[in-house]
Amino acid sequence: MSDDDHTFESTDAGASHTFPQQAGEIRKGSHLMIKGRPCKCIEVSTSKTGKHGHAKAHIVALDIFTGKKYEDLCPTSHNLDVPFVKRTEYQLLTADGDTGEVSLLTESGETKDDLNLPTVVKVGEPTEDDKKVTAEILESVEKGTDIFVIVQAACGEEKIIQTKTTSG
């Protein structure tokens, strides 16, 4: 056996879920990771440099999947992880209010069956927005109207966050 034989056990492309950004560059509305969760910043304030030299950024953010509030305090010169957040639009095929299962149609014409209604949550309680989006989805399924759902994806998690009805 030669020294050139290599066995790689990885199956992904090696792309990271996050990229670094300086804490001082985080703005309201931008995404960041706090305690390992992808969050959206709702408030940011910076303090002056103290006698030990670092200006601090106080960041308040909401988890983009659970709505839970997180806070972070760190020097503005330090790097924070920022998640890659992707929004995709799919056409809704079916939704089951009892099981919470949703079937979506991708742009390539394949079905995507690995998502649930927003009220089916792994951790905690569904938010008001989750309940509203679920009601809109089930209502359109009942009426038989075409509806698109917007799916937000970050750090290997996906969730339906919005509905969009087609005009016509």
Side-chain angles (χ1 to χ4, degrees):
M1 192 169 182
S2 71
D3 292 337
D4 296 339
D5 293 338
H6 299 288
T7 307
F8 296 105
E9 296 298 321
S10 179
T11 55
D12 62 4
S16 175
H17 290 303
T18 62
F19 64 95
Q21 185 176 14
Q22 268 198 335
E25 293 174 13
I26 296 289
R27 298 284 171 258
K28 187 176 174 179
S30 54
H31 293 93
L32 72 151
M33 298 290 285
I34 298 180
K35 295 184 177 91
R37 299 290 306 158
C39 300
K40 186 172 187 167
C41 179
I42 55 168
E43 191 183 317
V44 69
S45 58
T46 51
S47 63
K48 286 192 169 70
T49 52
K51 62 180 178 182
H52 298 296
H54 283 293
K56 294 233 184 329
H58 179 246
I59 299 164
V60 181
L62 296 176
D63 188 308
I64 60 174
F65 295 116
T66 65
K68 190 176 172 200
K69 192 179 198 176
Y70 287 99
E71 288 189 46
D72 200 7
L73 188 67
C74 62
T76 54
S77 58
H78 287 208
N79 278 347
L80 291 173
D81 285 334
V82 176
F84 289 105
V85 179
K86 194 172 146 215
R87 290 167 64 111
T88 319
E89 204 173 285
Y90 298 105
Q91 185 173 355
L92 183 78
L93 296 173
T94 60
D96 190 326
D98 301 325
T99 62
E101 290 173 358
V102 176
S103 185
L104 306 171
L105 185 66
T106 64
E107 273 189 13
S108 60
E110 296 167 18
T111 56
K112 180 176 174 58
D113 299 315
D114 59 351
L115 280 170
N116 289 325
L117 288 167
T119 50
V120 179
V121 290
K122 291 187 205 98
V123 183
E125 286 291 308
T127 64
E128 288 305 310
D129 284 344
D130 292 345
K131 292 174 185 166
K132 192 178 124 230
V133 170
T134 300
E136 287 170 7
I137 290 170
L138 294 173
E139 192 180 304
S140 74
V141 168
E142 246 174 63
K143 289 181 182 170
T145 53
D146 277 349
I147 190 171
F148 285 87
V149 294
I150 292 156
V151 174
Q152 185 164 271
C155 303
E157 274 187 69
E158 289 183 309
K159 181 179 172 183
I160 298 170
I161 55 155
Q162 222 176 328
T163 61
K164 194 171 122 184
T165 51
T166 54
S167 54

